[in-house]
C-alpha cells in the first residue's frame, strides 16, 4: 500500500463522527426489526383469502393522513434545525427543535385518539394483532425519539451545542427521519393498500 | 528497599475506590472484557451441569432423575444458555479485550454503552434462569421455542422471552460498538487490509449481530403479544400462521450460528500462524471467505424447515451447499498455513488443531443435511445433536479454549500450566468424541432428540452409555482447566509481553497492559506489526 492510499484510508477514518456512524448502524438494525413485522404482515396477508379478514372495517385514511402530515412536517422542521446548527445559529436551532418535539408529541396524542375511534382491538383477530403491534411499536419508537430530542434540547439550552460539536443533534435527526419513514410504510400498508 | 514495578506506578494516580465499585462501574474495555469472560464461563458451567443431568438421565432406559417436563426444561435451558449466554458472549468478551489492543486503540468507541451491553447479559441470563422458580418451571419449548408449543406453558416461557430480548439488545449494542470502533479507532497505518484476522472475524460477527438479532427480537415480541396480549401471530385459528415463527426464528437463527463460529475461525487463524512460524496462508482469501459467509448466511434459513414441506427445496439446498464453499476455502488456508511450518504444540495450538479436526466433521455433517432427501431421514434425530455439537463444541468451544490458553498471559500476566493444558486438551478431545460421535449412529438408528426416555430393546442403550461416560470425561477435563486457572492465578505474574512470539499489536504492550493500553505504539507496516518489530531487532 502506497502513501496516497494510506492517507486516504486514515482521512476516511477521522472524518466520520462516531455517534453519527453508530446511529446509522443502529438504524440499520432497527430497519431489520421493522422489516420482520412487514414480512410477517405480508406472509399472513398472502395466506388469508379475504383482507382485511371478515369482521374488520376497512381503515379510513382521514386521521391517518393528518398523522402522516404531522410526522413528515416534524422531519422537515428537524432538518431545518440541523441546518441552523451547522451554520452556528443556535437560537434558530432551538426553536426548530422545540417545534419538532411538539409535533412529535402531537403525533403521539393524535394516534392515541385514533386508537380510541377504531372499533376493534388486538384480540379481535389477526388484523387487529398486526395493526396494534406494528403501529404500537412504531409509537414506542416515536416516544423514544421525543425523549432523545428533549435531551438534545436540554444540551442546546445548556449551551453545549455548536456548529463544530453537535453530534447528538445529527444522530437524533437520523433516527427521527427513520422513524418517519417507518410510519410512511405503515401508512401505505394499512391505509393505502387496504383501500383497493 | 522496595522493588517498584512500572505497572503499579502507572495505576497510582487513580483515585482510590473500593475494588468492587471499580469493577461495577468500569468502562475500561479490558475490565469489561474480563467481566464478559467471567460471566460467560459461569453460565458455561451452569449449562454444562444441565447437560450432565440430561446425560445421567439417558444413561439407561427408564426414568432415573427427572420428570419429562423437567427434562424439557433442562434441554431448553442448556441450549439457550450455551448459545446466548456462553458462546456468543465469550467471543464478544475476547473481542472486547482484544479488538482495541489489536487495532492500537485506547478503548472502544462508546465505553459506557459497552458497560451497558455487558450488564444486560447477567440480567437477561438470570431472568431466563429465574423461570426455575416459577409455577410450572422454566421454559420447556426448546431453544428454538417453536409455536404452538411456545404459545403454551407458564410464566417460565414469558421469562425466557423477556430474558432473550434483553440479551439480544446487549448483542445489538455491542455489535454497533465493535463496528464503529473498528472503522474509526484504528492506529495510524492500521488499514483495513492490515487488520488482524480476529478483528475481521469480529467485524463480520458484529454485522450479523446488528442485522440478525433484531429479527429475533421482533419474533419474540410477536410471541409475547400472542401469549400476553391475546394476539394471533402464530395462531391459525384466527388467521395467523404457525410456520411464521419458524421462518422468523431461522432467519435470525442461521446468521446466529455464524455469529457463534466466525470469532472462533478468527482465533484459530491467529493462532495457527504463530505456532507454525508461518504467515497465514492467503490472508485476502480468508477475509473474502468471512465476507461471503456473512452475506450468504441470510439466504439459507429454510434448510431447517425441509420437513415442513412448505419451502423451496432446490433454492435452500443450493444456497446451503454454496456456503460450504467459502468454509472449505478456510480449511485449505489453515492447512496451507501449517504446511512445512515448524509446529510448536503448546496448549493453544493443540486446541486449534483439535478445532480443525472436529469442525471438519461437523461441517461435513452439515453438507449431508443440506440435501432434503437426507434431511427427511435424520431430521430431529440425534444426528442433528451430533452435528450441532461438532460445530459449536468441537468448533467454537475448542476455539474458545485455544483463545483462553493463548491470551491468558496477556490478560492476567501469567502463563497457564503447559502440562495441565495438555491433560485438559486430551481429556476433552477424547470425552468430546466419546460423547458425540455415537450420536451420529443413534440418529441413524432413529433415536429422536429431546426425549427423556427410550425402550430397552430399541438397541440404543450401549451408545447412550458411551455418550454418558464421555460427557463425564468432558466434565473432568473442565475441572482440570479450572484447577489450572486457579493455581496459575495464585502465582505472581511473570509473563513477558510477548510469550508466544505473536504477530499482532496486543503483544507489543505489557502483560497485562496498562490502563491506556500502550506506552508506545509500534509502526504498523503489515498485518504482522509485532513480528516486523522482532525482525528489525534481529537485523540490527
Amino acid at each position: 500500500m502506497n502513501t496516497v492510499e494510506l492517507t486516504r484510508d486514515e482521512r476516511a477514518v477521522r472524518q466520520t463522527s462516531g455517534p453519527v456512524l453508530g446511529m446509522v448502524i443502529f438504524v440499520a438494525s432497527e430497519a431489520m426489526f421493522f422489516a420482520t413485522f412487514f414480512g410477517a404482515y405480508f406472509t399472513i396477508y398472502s395466506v388469508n383469502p379475504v383482507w382485511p379478514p371478515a369482521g374488520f372495517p376497512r381503515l379510513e385514511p382521514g386521521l391517518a393522513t393528518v398523522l402522516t402530515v404531522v410526522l413528515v412536517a416534524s422531519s422537515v422542521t428537524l432538518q431545518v434545525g440541523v441546518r441552523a446548527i451547522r451554520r452556528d445559529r443556535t437560537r434558530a436551532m432551538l426553536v426548530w427543535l422545540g417545534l419538532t418535539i411538539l409535533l412529535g408529541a402531537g403525533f403521539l396524542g393524535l394516534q392515541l385518539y385514533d386508537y380510541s375511534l377504531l372499533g376493534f382491538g388486538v384480540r379481535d383477530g389477526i388484523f387487529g394483532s398486526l395493526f396494534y403491534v406494528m403501529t404500537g411499536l412504531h409509537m414506542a419508537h416515536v416516544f423514544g425519539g421525543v425523549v432523545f430530542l428533549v435531551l438534545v434540547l436540554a444540551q442546546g439550552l445548556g449551551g453545549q451545542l455548536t456548529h463544530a460539536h453537535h453530534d447528538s443533534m445529527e444522530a437524533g435527526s437520523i433516527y427521527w427521519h427513520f422513524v418517519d419513514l417507518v410510519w410512511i410504510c405503515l401508512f401505505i400498508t394499512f391505509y393505502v393498500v387496504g383501500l383497493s | 528497599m522496595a522493588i517498584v514495578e512500572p505497572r503499579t506506578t502507572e495505576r497510582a494516580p487513580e483515585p482510590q475506590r473500593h475494588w468492587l465499585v471499580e469493577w461495577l462501574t468500569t468502562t475500561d474495555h479490558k475490565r469489561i472484557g474480563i467481566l464478559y469472560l467471567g460471566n460467560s464461563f459461569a453460565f458455561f458451567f451452569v449449562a454444562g451441569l444441565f447437560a450432565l443431568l440430561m446425560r445421567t438421565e439417558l444413561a439407561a432406559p427408564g426414568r432415573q432423575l427427572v420428570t419429562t417436563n423437567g427434562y424439557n426444561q433442562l434441554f431448553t435451558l442448556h441450549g439457550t444458555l450455551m448459545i446466548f449466554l456462553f458462546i456468543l458472549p465469550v467471543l464478544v468478551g475476547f473481542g472486547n479485550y482484544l479488538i482495541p489492543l489489536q487495532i492500537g486503540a485506547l478503548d472502544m468507541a462508546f465505553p459506557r454503552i459497552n458497560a451497558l451491553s455487558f450488564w444486560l447479559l447477567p440480567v437477561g441470563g438470570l431472568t431466563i434462569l429465574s423461570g426455575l422458580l416459577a409455577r410450572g418451571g422454566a421454559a420447556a419449548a426448546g431453544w428454538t421455542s417453536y409455536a404452538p408449543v411456545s404459545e403454551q406453558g407458564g410464566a417460565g416461557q414469558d421469562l425466557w422471552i423477556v430474558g432473550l430480548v434483553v440479551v439480544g439488545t446487549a448483542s445489538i449494542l455491542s455489535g454497533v460498538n465493535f463496528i464503529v470502533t473498528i472503522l474509526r479507532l484504528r492506529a495510524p497505518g492500521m488499514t483495513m487490509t492490515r487488520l488482524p484476522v480476529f478483528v475481521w472475524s469480529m467485524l463480520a460477527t458484529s454485522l450479523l449481530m446488528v442485522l440478525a438479532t433484531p429479527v429475533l427480537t421482533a419474533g419474540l415480541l410477536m410471541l409475547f403479544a400472542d401469549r400476553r396480549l391475546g394476539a394471533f401471530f402464530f395462531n391459525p385459528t384466527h388467521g395467523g400462521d404457525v410456520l411464521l415463527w419458524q421462518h422468523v426464528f431461522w432467519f435470525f437463527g442461521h446468521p446466529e450460528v455464524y455469529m457463534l463460529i466466525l470469532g472462533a475461525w478468527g482465533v484459530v487463524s491467529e493462532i495457527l500462524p504463530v505456532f507454525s512460524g508461518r504467515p497465514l496462508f492467503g490472508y485476502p482469501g480468508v477475509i473474502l471467505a468471512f465476507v461471503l459467509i456473512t452475506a450468504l448466511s441470510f439466504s439459507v434459513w429454510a434448510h431447517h424447515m425441509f420437513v415442513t414441506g412448505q419451502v423451496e427445496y432446490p433454492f435452500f439446498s443450493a444456497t446451503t451447499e454454496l456456503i460450504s464453499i467459502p468454509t472449505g476455502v478456510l480449511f485449505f488456508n489453515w492447512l496451507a498455513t501449517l504446511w512445512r511450518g515448524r509446529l510448536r504444540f503448546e496448549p493453544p495450538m493443540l486446541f486449534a488443531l483439535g478445532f480443525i479436526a472436529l469442525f471438519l466433521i461437523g461441517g461435513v455433517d452439515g453438507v449431508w443435511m443440506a440435501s432434503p432427501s437426507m434431511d427427511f431421514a435424520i431430521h430431529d434425530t440425534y444426528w442433528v445433536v451430533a452435528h450441532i455439537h461438532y460445530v459449536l463444541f468441537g468448533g467454537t468451544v475448542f476455539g474458545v479454549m485455544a483463545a483462553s490458553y493463548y491470551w491468558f498471559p496477556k490478560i492476567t500476566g501469567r502463563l497457564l500450566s503447559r502440562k495441565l493444558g495438555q491433560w485438559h486438551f486430551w481429556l476433552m478431545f477424547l470425552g468430546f468424541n466419546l460423547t458425540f460421535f455415537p450420536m451420529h449412529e443413534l440418529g441413524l438408528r432413529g433415536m429422536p432428540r429431546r426425549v427423556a426416555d427410550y425402550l430397552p430393546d430399541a438397541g440404543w442403550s450401549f451408545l447412550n452409555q458411551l455418550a454418558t461416560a464421555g460427557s463425564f470425561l468432558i466434565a473432568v477435563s473442565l475441572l482440570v482447566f479450572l484447577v489450572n486457572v486457579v493455581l496459575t492465578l495464585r502465582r505472581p505474574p511473570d509473563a513477558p509481553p510477548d510469550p508466544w512470539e505473536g504477530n499482532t499489536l496486543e503483544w507489543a504492550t505489557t502483560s497485562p497492559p496498562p490502563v491506556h493500553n500502550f506506552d508506545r505504539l509500534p509502526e504498523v507496516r503489515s498485518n504482522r506489526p509485532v513480528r516486523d518489530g522482532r525482525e528489525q531487532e534481529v537485523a540490527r
Side-chain angles (χ1 to χ4, degrees):
Chain A
M1 178 168 286
N2 61 37
T3 333
V4 179
E5 282 173 307
L6 249 175
T7 339
R8 193 181 299 142
D9 186 80
E10 275 163 30
R11 197 167 54 203
V13 171
R14 296 197 202 316
Q15 277 182 351
T16 44
S17 133
V20 170
L21 184 60
M23 184 55 87
V24 169
I25 298 163
F26 180 70
V27 159
S29 181
E30 290 278 36
M32 290 299 285
F33 177 77
F34 280 105
T36 309
F37 283 98
F38 282 103
Y41 178 93
F42 286 105
T43 305
I44 290 167
Y45 172 90
S46 68
V47 298
N48 279 278
V50 183
W51 199 261
F56 285 98
R58 201 167 278 170
L59 293 175
E60 290 301 327
L63 197 53
T65 312
V66 179
L67 283 170
T68 310
V69 171
V70 168
L71 209 54
V72 171
S74 75
S75 256
V76 173
T77 53
L78 185 59
Q79 198 55 31
V80 176
V82 170
R83 288 170 68 100
I85 189 68
R86 281 182 193 157
R87 288 163 199 170
D88 215 7
R89 288 168 29 217
T90 316
R91 275 193 66 84
M93 183 217 69
L94 290 174
V95 171
W96 289 111
L97 182 57
L99 195 59
T100 310
I101 292 168
L102 287 179
L103 286 168
F107 175 89
L108 291 172
L110 261 180
Q111 190 166 29
L112 287 175
Y113 175 66
D114 188 31
Y115 277 6
S116 74
L117 299 180
L118 294 169
F120 60 89
V122 70
R123 294 161 186 264
D124 291 333
I126 185 63
F127 187 78
S129 309
L130 282 165
F131 179 82
Y132 284 106
V133 171
M134 288 170 78
T135 55
L137 284 169
H138 174 261
M139 239 171 109
H141 280 76
V142 175
F143 180 76
V146 169
V147 172
F148 194 111
L149 293 182
V150 166
L151 293 175
V152 177
L153 187 70
Q155 278 189 330
L157 291 170
Q160 296 178 40
L161 300 183
T162 62
H163 77 106
H165 183 85
H166 59 275
D167 281 344
S168 57
M169 181 73 173
E170 296 275 354
S173 76
I174 291 168
Y175 177 80
W176 192 258
H177 296 325
F178 166 74
V179 172
D180 190 5
L181 188 71
V182 172
W183 172 257
I184 293 172
C185 295
L186 286 170
F187 178 72
I188 292 171
T189 305
F190 281 106
Y191 294 91
V192 181
V193 178
L195 277 180
S196 53
Chain B
M1 190 182 76
I3 300 164
V4 179
E5 290 180 27
R7 268 194 304 278
T8 45
T9 50
E10 277 154 14
R11 285 216 159 225
E14 283 184 21
Q16 286 294 315
R17 285 190 296 179
H18 192 271
W19 64 268
L20 192 62
V21 179
E22 285 277 315
W23 279 92
L24 289 176
T25 59
T26 185
T27 55
D28 175 14
H29 74 96
K30 296 183 289 299
R31 289 191 160 196
I32 292 176
I34 293 171
L35 287 172
Y36 261 102
L37 296 177
N39 185 61
S40 307
F41 275 104
F43 276 106
F44 178 49
F45 281 97
V46 173
L49 193 68
F50 292 155
L52 283 184
L53 288 173
M54 281 191 282
R55 277 321 318 169
T56 312
E57 174 60 51
L58 291 173
R63 282 198 283 104
Q64 280 76 242
L65 270 183
V66 289
T67 61
T68 43
N69 181 267
Y71 188 84
N72 292 349
Q73 294 175 37
L74 282 179
F75 70 69
T76 302
L77 291 177
H78 168 73
T80 307
L81 296 184
M82 281 294 188
I83 284 171
F84 294 100
L85 273 308
F86 169 57
I87 295 186
L88 188 58
V90 82
L91 294 171
V92 170
F94 279 114
N96 245 295
Y97 198 95
L98 291 160
I99 287 174
L101 287 169
Q102 289 198 327
I103 65 175
L106 284 176
D107 205 318
M108 299 280 281
F110 309 114
R112 279 182 290 185
I113 290 182
N114 199 22
L116 173 66
S117 42
F118 166 71
W119 287 107
L120 287 176
L121 283 177
V123 172
L126 291 174
T127 306
I128 294 169
L129 267 178
S130 69
L132 286 170
L133 306 172
R135 187 179 300 155
W143 84 277
T144 52
S145 275
Y146 275 11
V149 179
S150 54
E151 305 254 79
Q152 301 148 15
Q157 187 69 34
D158 295 309
L159 290 165
W160 182 87
I161 294 172
V162 174
L164 275 193
V165 170
V166 172
V167 170
T169 309
S171 146
I172 293 170
L173 291 178
S174 40
V176 172
N177 213 342
F178 278 149
I179 296 176
V180 177
T181 305
I182 295 168
L183 292 185
R184 283 197 77 242
L185 302 186
R186 284 169 286 133
M190 181 59 81
T191 59
M192 290 304 275
T193 48
R194 291 174 186 168
L195 220 49
V197 206
F198 176 68
V199 178
W200 263 109
S201 75
M202 288 311 289
L203 184 61
T205 306
S206 305
L207 211 60
L208 292 175
M209 292 202 284
V210 164
L211 296 179
T213 317
V215 177
L216 175 70
T217 310
L220 291 169
L221 291 180
M222 292 179 206
L223 188 59
F224 194 80
D226 274 13
R227 292 174 54 86
R228 289 287 147 188
L229 306 179
F232 300 101
F233 283 100
F234 309 122
N235 185 345
T237 59
H238 288 72
D241 183 358
V242 72
L243 277 187
L244 179 64
W245 169 262
Q246 293 188 32
H247 279 293
V248 170
F249 184 84
W250 289 116
F251 191 86
F252 147 80
H254 211 83
E256 162 80 7
V257 304
Y258 288 98
M259 290 178 218
L260 302 177
I261 194 72
L262 271 158
W265 290 342
V267 167
V268 169
S269 308
E270 292 286 355
I271 288 175
L272 292 177
V274 170
F275 292 94
S276 54
R278 304 240 302 132
L280 178 66
F281 181 86
Y283 170 91
V286 172
I287 306 303
L288 188 66
F290 287 174
V291 173
L292 282 176
I293 289 167
T294 305
L296 279 170
S297 72
F298 281 100
S299 66
V300 298
W301 78 92
H303 68 211
H304 295 272
M305 302 168 57
F306 283 154
V307 293
T308 63
Q310 302 286 311
V311 297
E312 185 64 28
Y313 295 125
F315 176 81
F316 288 104
S317 184
T319 51
T320 308
E321 304 281 5
L322 210 58
I323 205 167
S324 65
I325 294 173
T327 316
V329 167
L330 290 176
F331 277 99
F332 287 110
N333 282 299
W334 294 328
L335 292 181
T337 304
L338 296 175
W339 185 253
R340 294 191 168 193
R342 252 186 287 156
L343 308 192
R344 291 182 286 154
F345 294 101
E346 298 289 338
M349 183 64 159
L350 288 177
F351 279 100
L353 294 174
F355 167 96
I356 295 182
L358 301 177
F359 184 71
L360 178 66
I361 297 178
V364 172
D365 287 354
V367 181
W368 271 66
M369 289 190 294
S371 147
S373 42
M374 184 71 199
D375 185 74
F376 291 150
I378 52 183
H379 185 86
D380 255 346
T381 68
Y382 259 83
W383 174 285
V384 179
V385 182
H387 164 68
I388 192 70
H389 285 90
Y390 266 88
V391 178
L392 289 187
F393 194 146
T396 309
V397 178
F398 274 72
V400 165
M401 289 304 168
S404 305
Y405 281 92
Y406 184 57
W407 281 302
F408 198 84
K410 180 53 62 186
I411 296 173
T412 66
R414 299 161 177 88
L415 278 150
L416 284 166
S417 149
R418 188 164 183 255
K419 181 141 256 163
L420 286 176
Q422 287 165 339
W423 273 100
H424 173 196
F425 170 74
W426 286 109
L427 284 173
M428 194 156 114
F429 190 80
L430 201 68
F432 173 83
N433 284 299
L434 199 57
T435 310
F436 296 106
F437 203 80
M439 288 187 186
H440 289 108
E441 179 61 20
L442 279 173
L444 292 177
R445 291 190 191 174
M447 179 166 172
R449 64 198 279 219
R450 296 178 170 173
V451 291
D453 196 7
Y454 51 92
L455 289 172
D457 54 1
W460 303 333
S461 306
F462 175 64
L463 292 174
N464 269 303
Q465 282 163 8
L466 278 187
T468 303
S471 68
F472 279 91
L473 213 52
I474 297 175
V476 171
S477 78
L478 289 170
L479 281 181
V480 173
F481 176 57
L482 205 62
V483 167
N484 198 352
V485 169
V486 171
L487 288 182
T488 308
L489 285 178
R490 292 171 61 153
R491 288 205 326 258
D494 57 353
D498 182 12
W500 311 115
E501 305 206 314
N503 293 329
T504 39
L505 281 181
E506 77 270 29
W507 306 111
T509 184
T510 52
S511 303
V515 189
H516 50 275
N517 286 353
F518 296 95
D519 289 329
R520 202 188 129 268
L521 203 58
E523 210 172 340
V524 182
R525 291 169 177 275
S526 76
N527 56 16
R528 297 193 293 168
V530 172
R531 189 194 147 88
D532 295 344
R534 269 199 311 274
E535 278 175 353
Q536 274 172 8
E537 289 286 307
V538 173
R540 253 186 242 142

